[in-house]
Amino acid sequence: MDFWNLAIRIIFLSQTTTGILGNFSLILYYLVFYYRECTLKPTDLILMHLMAANAMIILSSGVPHTMRAFGLKEFLNDFGCRFLIYIQAFARSVSIGTTCLLSVLQAMTISPRESCWRDHKVKAAKYIGCSIALLWVLYLLINFIFFLYPFIQMNNKNVTGTRDFGYCSVVGRDEVSGSLYAALLVCPEIFFSVIITWSSGSMIVILYRHKQRVQHIRSTHGSSRTSPESIATQKILALLATFLIFYTLSSVLRGCVAVLHNQNWWLVNINRFTSLCFPSFGPFVLMSHYSVLTRFSFVWMRNKTSSSCCT
């Protein structure tokens, strides 16, 4: 068991460090880019908020799990524990919502002119900022209900059980809060996952049809290089697979941990690992998907004497 404890420590420490570096690097990039250009594309705006939500997940979940793996136990009181859970749930919801928004916007952007989305492309881009703000405010309020509810129901005898997170523990939910949690958080997560699957699948179909149209032209010129459409399709599949695999697996494992009374050591740690996979590794998938690293180099290579639009 000593070997596996050491392995868990290394895994959580590496995962947390990778997530912090990846998310904060992209946040810094977008802040620098906005400072230099005084504007962000709708896609970049979504990505910046997605990275902010992922960073909150890493800090509120990855760091405490890492501290727990290194031997620190029950270092938070009841209020601190509930507040940390509140941040975790809030950030997870925003991360899923912004990922859905990103996927839908990309599907609308590459849709052909004759599609039903042609009249909504410009409008969608204009309302991206409002949509992101609505996501933050909405989930801030919804999760705040679950933060306050236990304090209101402190004397309720229907509340049974204790939820032990290793670094802290709280009294379990009653039937009312469990039903509200499923209706206000779980169901929207499932809905967003379906939308992401649909929009990403639509993008793959659109790119595949476009590839078929230009295939004859490419074969005529004797080009043997991989087409841009194929590369884009692979990156979309990578983004879709990263989100669906890790978040779906995380949701299933969270359900198992919540249902089972005798929690297995392996199940608990695998659940913690999978819940941090997309926030930790998602930034690097997104870097590849949107060629952020290439654009990042151009930001620093711009002419320093060029006038800024902010002045």
Side-chain angles (χ1 to χ4, degrees), residues 214-266:
V214 301
Q215 189 173 18
H216 176 71
I217 299 176
R218 295 186 183 277
S219 60
T220 302
H221 288 79
S223 176
S224 59
R225 294 180 302 174
T226 304
S227 66
E229 294 80 12
S230 298
I231 296 174
T233 302
Q234 293 171 6
K235 292 175 180 177
I236 291 172
L237 280 171
L239 179 63
L240 171 64
T242 303
F243 174 82
L244 288 180
I245 290 176
F246 288 131
Y247 261 117
T248 302
L249 184 59
S250 173
S251 298
V252 172
L253 291 175
R254 286 175 66 189
C256 294
V257 171
V259 171
L260 297 177
H261 296 286
N262 297 323
Q263 298 179 359
N264 182 270
W265 184 87
W266 285 103

Side-chain angles (χ1 to χ4, degrees), residues 11 17 20 34 67 93 97 99 123 135 201 231 237 246 270 279:
I11 290 172
T17 304
I20 291 175
Y34 179 77
M67 295 172 65
S93 299
T99 303
K123 294 181 180 179
L135 274 176
I231 296 174
L237 280 171
F246 288 131
I270 293 175

Side-chain angles (χ1 to χ4, degrees), residues 262-276:
N262 297 323
Q263 298 179 359
N264 182 270
W265 184 87
W266 285 103
L267 179 63
V268 171
N269 284 286
I270 293 175
N271 173 50
R272 294 169 179 171
F273 171 77
T274 55
S275 65
L276 294 172

Side-chain angles (χ1 to χ4, degrees), residues 67-127:
M67 295 172 65
R68 169 64 182 85
F70 278 88
L72 294 177
K73 300 179 181 179
E74 303 293 334
F75 54 86
L76 289 174
N77 57 18
D78 184 73
F79 178 83
C81 189
R82 293 189 185 279
F83 182 75
L84 202 63
I85 296 170
Y86 165 70
I87 298 298
Q88 293 172 9
F90 164 63
R92 175 186 169 92
S93 299
V94 173
S95 176
I96 296 175
T98 49
T99 303
C100 179
L101 194 62
L102 173 66
S103 183
V104 172
L105 179 65
Q106 285 297 102
M108 295 177 65
T109 301
I110 69 170
S111 61
R113 295 180 179 179
E114 62 274 10
S115 69
C116 60
W117 296 107
R118 65 182 183 275
D119 298 329
H120 302 285
K121 293 181 181 180
V122 178
K123 294 181 180 179
K126 290 181 179 179
Y127 292 109

Side-chain angles (χ1 to χ4, degrees), residues 53-74:
N54 285 344
M56 290 176 63
I57 295 175
I58 296 296
L59 293 176
S60 63
S61 184
V63 173
H65 286 321
T66 303
M67 295 172 65
R68 169 64 182 85
F70 278 88
L72 294 177
K73 300 179 181 179
E74 303 293 334

